[in-house]
Amino acid sequence: MAQVFNPYLPLHEYIPDGEPHVFDGRIYLFGSHDAENGDTFCMNPYEFYSASIDDLRSWTSRGISYKAEQDPMCSEKRKYLYAPDVVRGNDGRYYLYYALSGYRGKGGYFGPIAAAVCDTPDGEYTYLGIVRNADGSMFREGILFDPAVINDEGTIRLYYGSQYPFPEKESFVTRMVQSKLYGKTMEEIKSAPDGIMGPMCVTLADDMLTVTSRAVHIITPHVKGTEWEEHPFFEGASIRRINGLYYFIYSSLKNHELCYAVSHYPDRDFTYGGTIISNGDVGYNGRKEEDRLNATGTTHGSIECINGQWYVFYHRLTHGSDYSRQSCAEPITIAEDGSIAQVEMTSCGLNGAPLVDTGVYPAVICCNLTNGHMPHSSNKKSKKKYPCVSSGSGQQFIANIENGTWIGYKYFSFTGTRKIRIRYRGTGDGFLTVTAGYQEKALARVRIGIRNNWTDTTVEVPFQAGKSGLFFHFEGTGSMELLEFELQNR
Ligand code: FUB
C-alpha cells in the first residue's frame, strides 16, 4: 500500500522554509533549496514540488523554476536565493518574492526584496523587479528579509523582517544593518523608537512591486515584559487569513519553533497564540530545551488547509548542520476559539493514519534522533559528531549512532508481534534494543557486530496490537549506520 512519510519529498531533496499554498486542486510547496550535505544555506535554485490535494502521497516537481543568476543584483557576495513566497496576483499570474543572501547569511539583510512572475505556480519564473517606492527607488523600511505575501481579497500585502535580541540592546546586527543600510549614526539609531527590527507589513500596487502604504511594525519590537517575551519574533514571517482572522506564523528567537499570533487586522493588534511545532519537540508536553528529541536549528514554515484538514509545514535538520534541511508536515487542529495546540513531530505527517506494520521503511524517516544531549546547531557545521541523517553513494542513512542513541518512528499501527529485518553497517559493536517509545522498556534485543558493508539482522518483537511508536536504542562501542528496516509477518 502506498504511504507518505516525513520527510514527504524524495529523500535526496532538501527544501526548507516551506510556504504551502493550494492553487486549483494542487498543494504547492514554495521554499528555499538546500544542497545535500551543503556548506551554507540555500545553495540550489528554486524547485517547487506539488501534489494533488486528493493524493498527498505523490509529490512531483517540474524542474527548476528560478535561478539566482536571473536577478540582475545577484553577485558573488549575494548569490543564494533565500526563503520565498508566492501569491496569485489580481491578474491571475503567480508572483514569487524573495531576497538574496551571501555565504552563511552574510549580506542577507542588505538587499531589496525582489519579485519574479510566471503564468503557472511551478513553471519557469521571469525576473520582474525589486519592491520599490512610487518614485522607483528601492524600498527600504525595516529588514527586507523572508518575504511573505497574501492576496487579501484583492489587496496585496507584503510581510517581512527580522529581529535580533533586542532593540533595547545595541546588538551588533542593529548597529551593522542600520548604519550600513540606512547610513545612520548610533545616535540616530537610538532615537528611532521602533527601529528597523521586527516584522513589518506594507501593501503593494497591482504592478506587484510599488509600495502603496507606510511600512508598519505589526508587533512591537519592545518585547520585554509583554506576552511575546518568551517567544519573540525572529524571522520566517508568514501570513494566512482564516475565518476572518489574520494568523501570523513566525520562527521565534528560540529558532527551532514555529509560533503564531492572531489579529482581526492585517497590520496591528496581534496577540500571541502559542507554539505550533518545534523541530526538537521542545515545549511539547513540557519538554525542556536540554531534552530536545533531535538536533535543533532554524525552522520556518506555515500552515495550510488541504481538503478540509489543516497542516503545519516545517523543516528538520540533517547532515549535522542546518544547511541541508528537509520539509515535514503534521496535521493540526484550529480549535473553535481559534487556537492551535502544539503538535509533535511524527514519521507519518501527511499519511492521515499510522504507518502499516509490513514493508520496508527507510531509516531516515525517523522523527526522533537523539543521544540524550543533542545540540542546537544554527548556521554552522558542527565539529562535534552526533547522530544525524546523512548520505553517500546516492543513499540516505542515519550516521553516528553511538552508545546511548535513540532512533524513533511514530506511529505504526501494529497487529501484534513482528519480525524486523534491520540493515546496518559500521564499527558499532553491541546491542540494539527495540521499544515502543523513547526510554521505554525493552521489547527485544539484537546483537550488532562490526560490518564494513550493509548487513541484515532480524529480530522478533512482541508489539501490542494498536497504535505505537517503534524505537531502536544502541548500546555498545563504535559507531553504526542504519539504512532501512523491514516489518515482516512472523
Ligand atoms: O534558508 C535561509 C534562512 O534560514 C531563511 O531565510 C530563514 O528563515 C532561515 O530558515
Side-chain angles (χ1 to χ4, degrees), residues 33-274:
H33 199 175
D34 286 349
E36 184 160 74
N37 200 13
D39 188 43
T40 186
F41 299 115
C42 311
M43 295 181 83
N44 286 337
Y46 289 143
E47 181 170 346
F48 304 138
Y49 277 78
S50 69
S52 159
I53 58 166
D54 297 319
D55 182 6
L56 302 181
R57 294 165 300 187
S58 171
W59 288 73
T60 51
S61 121
R62 294 171 61 204
I64 289 168
S65 274
Y66 193 69
K67 296 184 182 147
E69 301 77 45
Q70 290 177 248
D71 185 318
M73 292 179 90
C74 171
S75 66
E76 203 36 48
K77 281 197 163 164
R78 298 175 68 252
K79 62 177 180 185
Y80 302 114
L81 291 164
Y82 269 32
D85 196 9
V86 166
V87 69
R88 180 152 52 191
N90 292 324
D91 59 0
R93 304 183 83 197
Y94 296 86
Y95 292 85
L96 166 70
Y97 291 81
Y98 63 91
L100 289 167
S101 183
Y103 186 69
R104 299 198 171 177
K106 289 196 189 85
Y109 291 167
F110 300 149
I113 289 171
V117 63
C118 186
D119 289 333
T120 55
D122 56 352
E124 291 178 17
Y125 280 77
T126 307
Y127 177 77
L128 186 68
I130 61 168
V131 173
R132 61 196 181 204
N133 299 309
D135 65 4
S137 59
M138 172 183 159
F139 167 75
R140 33 186 203 177
E141 291 287 333
I143 297 185
L144 304 161
F145 191 72
D146 281 357
V149 266
I150 186 173
N151 187 336
D152 188 9
E153 295 176 352
T155 303
I156 308 298
R157 304 187 192 280
L158 170 68
Y159 297 75
Y160 57 94
S162 182
Q163 179 165 330
Y164 258 74
F166 290 104
E168 287 85 352
K169 289 191 189 151
E170 292 170 13
S171 83
F172 87 99
V173 178
T174 309
R175 280 201 300 279
M176 179 177 72
V177 175
Q178 298 214 25
S179 56
K180 207 157 173 169
L181 186 60
Y182 297 89
K184 287 184 178 167
T185 64
M186 267 323 284
E187 284 319 301
E188 287 168 318
I189 291 166
K190 276 193 251 170
S191 64
D194 281 340
I196 60 169
M197 295 288 152
M200 314 272 286
C201 168
V202 289
T203 55
L204 297 181
D206 267 353
D207 68 5
M208 304 302 273
L209 293 176
T210 307
V211 171
T212 53
S213 68
R214 264 191 50 236
V216 287
H217 283 91
I218 67 163
I219 298 170
T220 173
H222 304 284
V223 294
K224 251 194 193 135
T226 73
E227 56 174 348
W228 304 93
E229 186 163 5
E230 293 300 310
H231 306 264
F233 170 80
F234 175 43
E235 59 185 14
S238 179
I239 189 79
R240 295 289 180 272
R241 191 169 171 186
I242 305 166
N243 300 330
L245 292 174
Y246 293 86
Y247 279 70
F248 180 67
I249 295 104
Y250 66 94
S251 177
S252 84
L253 263 178
K254 291 183 194 289
N255 206 214
H256 55 69
E257 63 173 8
L258 288 180
C259 297
Y260 75 99
V262 186
S263 174
H264 288 281
Y265 305 97
D267 54 0
R268 63 182 185 280
D269 293 352
F270 278 90
T271 52
Y272 176 71

Side-chain angles (χ1 to χ4, degrees), residues 265-288:
Y265 305 97
D267 54 0
R268 63 182 185 280
D269 293 352
F270 278 90
T271 52
Y272 176 71
T275 300
I276 306 175
I277 195 154
S278 147
N279 62 21
D281 275 345
V282 176
Y284 185 74
N285 283 343
R287 182 165 293 283
K288 300 249 181 348

Side-chain angles (χ1 to χ4, degrees), residues 399-433:
N400 304 335
I401 303 168
E402 295 183 343
N403 186 40
T405 299
W406 287 86
I407 307 157
Y409 304 85
K410 289 183 288 199
Y411 289 96
F412 281 93
S413 184
F414 284 113
T415 46
T417 299
R418 311 308 289 161
K419 266 197 340 207
I420 309 184
R421 177 183 61 78
I422 296 159
R423 184 163 289 179
Y424 73 97
R425 71 179 177 195
T427 59
D429 192 6
F431 288 91
L432 208 55
T433 299

Side-chain angles (χ1 to χ4, degrees), residues 284-330:
Y284 185 74
N285 283 343
R287 182 165 293 283
K288 300 249 181 348
E289 294 270 350
E290 59 271 26
D291 299 327
R292 55 177 62 86
L293 288 178
N294 290 303
T296 56
T298 66
T299 200
H300 177 161
S302 196
I303 61 176
E304 188 67 352
C305 186
I306 309 173
N307 254 347
Q309 170 67 56
W310 283 92
Y311 294 90
V312 59
F313 287 70
Y314 62 102
H315 64 239
R316 72 168 190 181
L317 276 58
T318 70
H319 291 80
S321 77
D322 67 349
Y323 301 139
S324 304
R325 300 158 296 172
Q326 293 187 300
S327 185
C328 299
E330 311 293 347

